Amino acid sequence: MKVINSVAEMQQFAREHRGEIALVPTMGYLHEGHASLMVEARKRARIVVASIFVNPTQFGVNEDLDSYPRDLERDTRVASEAGVDIIFAPTAAEMYPSGYQTYVNVEELTTHLCGASRPGHFRGVTTVVSKLFNIVMPRVAIFGKKDFQQLAVIKRMAKDLNMDVEIVGMPIVREHDGLALSSRNVRLDTTQRRSALSLSRSLRVAKEALRGGEQSVAALKKAVAEVIEAEPMAEIDYLEFRDPDTLLELEQADERTLLALAVRIGSVRLIDNCILGEE
């Protein structure tokens, strides 16, 4: 496996292997969830490239850019074991050189959920992903469904801008106790981690309520909120039942409905989601 830091070198490699590359974009501190994306990428292309870049443009003021976990040596081991051929790990100066002033913005889909609570976040995401697509030139790009809104936004961007890349979303990978894998989990202490389990518990409560015949979004929200608010360390950022395609609000839920959560456990912001009818 090779590590490339230069945009120019990565582009040269991509030009020589165009049509053969699957890309897994990450911000590093890799875990089994990332590895599952890389294994899927291995099935879909001859060459697997994983990008590792903590993108400063998607972090807002007072967010956790400086404290976001980083460990390239560890990431290299995980990526190699998952079958990655190239790690593309540019610096911020490589990606955003002096004088940089161009951004990509998806309009409506980014006004909901994380977009409402993190202004400018998705402008940073779509900008860096479009740059990665231009640099790596993948035939297919693999993303996790834990960032459900991010996946929807990237699909919209790729479609609207006629990007010649297939966008694939893969299921959430969870730890044995149900906690969705996240690079931020490492920042939870033992007590906080127990509190964080309220997210996955609340998803199960919503699914069970729907199976029991409850379709009122107001009633489902109340049931989910009670689970999370029972944890004194948990503070709900958003708790929403949405159409999975448009992300618009709903009054009645069904098996296609998306339940999306963002919850702060101490200083750590965690997200989770489910489609209510899926196991």
Side-chain angles (χ1 to χ4, degrees):
M1 189 181 67
K2 183 177 183 181
V3 177
I4 295 176
N5 306 115
S6 160
V7 167
E9 183 181 351
M10 186 70 251
Q11 280 186 315
Q12 180 59 38
F13 179 91
R15 279 191 290 269
E16 293 169 359
H17 299 279
R18 195 155 198 163
E20 302 178 292
I21 297 173
L23 171 65
V24 181
T26 84
M27 292 208 301
Y29 214 77
L30 303 180
H31 50 62
E32 289 178 20
H34 296 114
S36 73
L37 306 183
M38 295 165 187
V39 169
E40 180 66 23
R42 179 83 278 159
K43 298 174 184 176
R44 291 174 177 265
R46 193 177 72 82
I47 298 169
V48 177
V49 176
S51 62
I52 296 176
F53 179 60
V54 182
N55 177 36
T57 66
Q58 69 190 67
F59 289 80
V61 177
N62 298 323
E63 290 192 333
D64 59 349
L65 173 62
D66 292 338
S67 61
Y68 195 88
R70 297 163 170 85
D71 189 340
L72 185 57
E73 184 178 341
R74 174 180 175 275
D75 290 344
T76 300
R77 290 197 303 272
V78 174
S80 178
E81 290 169 4
V84 169
D85 299 295
I86 302 287
I87 286 179
F88 176 49
T91 63
E94 272 284 301
M95 293 295 279
Y96 301 106
S98 177
Y100 189 90
Q101 54 187 294
T102 303
Y103 295 87
V104 177
N105 192 45
V106 173
E107 298 288 335
E108 187 176 321
L109 279 177
T110 62
T111 62
H112 313 291
L113 306 175
C114 284
S117 60
R118 301 182 68 189
H121 168 69
F122 283 113
R123 186 181 81 149
V125 169
T126 46
T127 297
V128 78
V129 171
S130 64
K131 285 174 69 66
L132 289 170
F133 288 172
N134 285 332
I135 294 164
V136 180
M137 305 176 203
R139 181 177 59 78
V140 59
I142 316 291
F143 295 85
K145 290 184 179 179
K146 184 171 73 72
D147 294 304
F148 191 97
Q149 184 177 16
Q150 173 179 278
L151 177 61
V153 168
I154 289 167
K155 284 182 174 179
R156 183 81 256 173
M157 175 186 74
K159 182 178 181 180
D160 289 353
L161 297 183
N162 307 106
M163 293 178 168
D164 187 21
V165 56
E166 178 187 2
I167 310 298
V168 175
M170 295 296 293
I172 296 171
V173 177
R174 299 183 181 276
E175 300 195 33
H176 63 90
D177 55 8
L179 183 65
L181 287 175
S182 169
S183 300
R184 289 184 168 95
N185 290 352
V186 70
R187 294 171 50 204
L188 299 169
D189 64 28
T190 303
T191 303
Q192 290 171 331
R193 198 184 182 291
R194 282 197 297 269
S195 293
L197 296 178
S198 62
L199 277 76
S200 57
R201 281 202 308 271
S202 73
L203 300 182
R204 290 195 297 272
V205 164
K207 289 181 176 185
E208 289 164 5
L210 184 74
R211 282 196 291 267
E214 183 60 75
Q215 291 185 287
S216 164
V217 164
L220 290 169
K221 273 190 176 183
K222 184 173 184 293
V224 171
E226 286 175 353
V227 174
I228 298 170
E229 289 170 349
E231 293 291 340
M233 302 192 75
E235 179 184 354
I236 296 171
D237 183 350
Y238 64 73
L239 186 177
E240 298 290 342
F241 291 81
R242 299 290 178 117
D243 180 281
D245 300 318
T246 65
L247 301 183
L248 294 177
E249 292 182 85
L250 301 170
E251 293 185 359
Q252 294 290 112
D254 59 27
E255 292 187 345
R256 288 189 67 254
T257 298
L258 168 72
L259 166 54
L261 301 171
V263 179
R264 294 188 186 280
I265 308 291
S267 64
V268 182
R269 184 179 183 275
L270 301 176
I271 59 173
D272 206 341
N273 70 77
C274 70
I275 300 297
L276 294 183
E278 293 181 357
E279 291 299 323

